[in-house]
Amino acid sequence: MTATDQPGPIRVMLVDDHEVVRRGIVTVIDAHEALSVIGEAASVAEANRRLPAIRPEVLVVDLQLPDGTGIDVMRTARGLDPAPRMLVLTSFDDDAAIRESKAAGAAGLMLKSARSLEIVEAIRAVHAGRSIWPSDHAEEGPELSESDQRIVELIGDGHSNREIADALGIAEKTVKNRVTVILQAHGMQRRTQVAAMVAARRRAGWKPQ
């Protein structure tokens, strides 16, 4: 691989209405060579306007915004193709915030009180397909049937829908429909994101039940 073939830094967009906080987080992110802040916004309206043009790989968003919530921003982001991975960075990690963030498609939630390195690692983990939640709310992912979990593993092994259908003895159309359900359950847009999630889980020693 030549120098020109090297992948660039992960493109990050930050949405937070407190300028001092936002500038501090931008400084933390940009200080890491693997990350780059390519856009900022201080409101839902500004974020929704800028998202289609900026198209970040990771969206870092606060829940409390002056004209709505980070949930509104994440719903807009999910409509992009490709959709960014999303991380909530907030001052509160109550059950409601976590539940709503998951429903909106977020891959994790971090407190603003976290150390700089923890925020950086959370962004990189989310980009790689992992989920990052407070320890007392941690989970391996949405509830899926045994067959759906098997499909997830086969996607992680690089198999096509036809190959998965042959392996499980079901119709290829059925596999396609189940992949759509799996993507929606994980708040993802592409099967490559599922493959990345499986790879990250395996590196972490996770095994399907």
Side-chain angles (χ1 to χ4, degrees):
M1 178 180 290
T2 66
T4 56
D5 293 326
Q6 293 289 343
I10 298 168
R11 304 189 311 277
V12 181
M13 180 175 178
L14 177 64
V15 183
D16 194 300
D17 63 317
H18 293 96
E19 184 176 3
V20 173
V21 173
R22 190 172 70 250
R23 296 312 308 163
I25 297 172
V26 168
T27 299
V28 167
I29 295 173
D30 277 343
H32 198 286
E33 62 180 7
L35 307 175
S36 176
V37 176
I38 61 169
E40 303 174 40
S43 67
V44 173
E46 183 181 10
N48 287 350
R49 184 176 66 252
R50 301 197 68 194
L51 269 168
I54 293 175
R55 294 187 176 274
E57 295 175 273
V58 177
L59 174 66
V60 180
V61 59
D62 191 7
L63 288 180
Q64 302 300 321
L65 297 169
D67 57 344
T69 73
I71 302 300
D72 301 317
V73 178
M74 288 191 285
R75 286 172 179 160
T76 297
R78 285 184 65 178
L80 298 177
D81 184 20
R85 294 284 289 173
M86 298 181 288
L87 175 68
V88 172
L89 189 60
T90 184
S91 299
F92 308 99
D93 65 344
D94 57 272
D95 289 342
I98 292 172
R99 184 170 57 253
E100 292 176 4
S101 297
K102 289 179 179 179
L109 180 148
M110 290 286 292
L111 289 174
K112 291 182 180 179
S113 58
R115 294 178 299 174
S116 298
L117 181 59
E118 290 175 329
I119 294 174
V120 166
E121 290 304 315
I123 293 172
R124 297 183 69 187
V126 163
H127 179 260
R130 292 174 53 197
S131 295
I132 304 294
W133 300 100
S135 58
D136 55 338
H137 295 278
E139 61 178 8
E140 297 299 345
E143 289 292 331
L144 296 174
S145 68
E146 183 176 341
S147 61
D148 284 350
Q149 291 175 1
R150 179 61 178 151
I151 290 173
V152 168
E153 291 300 307
L154 290 170
I155 290 174
D157 290 334
H159 293 293
S160 66
N161 285 353
R162 179 177 293 278
E163 291 170 336
I164 293 173
D166 290 342
L168 299 182
I170 58 179
E172 184 178 355
K173 183 177 180 180
T174 299
V175 174
K176 183 177 180 180
N177 291 338
R178 297 316 302 169
V179 170
T180 298
V181 171
I182 290 166
L183 291 174
Q184 292 175 343
H186 286 281
M188 297 176 179
Q189 300 290 327
R190 307 180 304 281
R191 61 190 293 135
T192 53
Q193 292 175 294
V194 177
M197 176 186 70
V198 173
R201 284 177 170 180
R202 288 172 176 172
R203 287 196 298 270
W206 181 89
K207 296 182 182 297
Q209 299 298 317

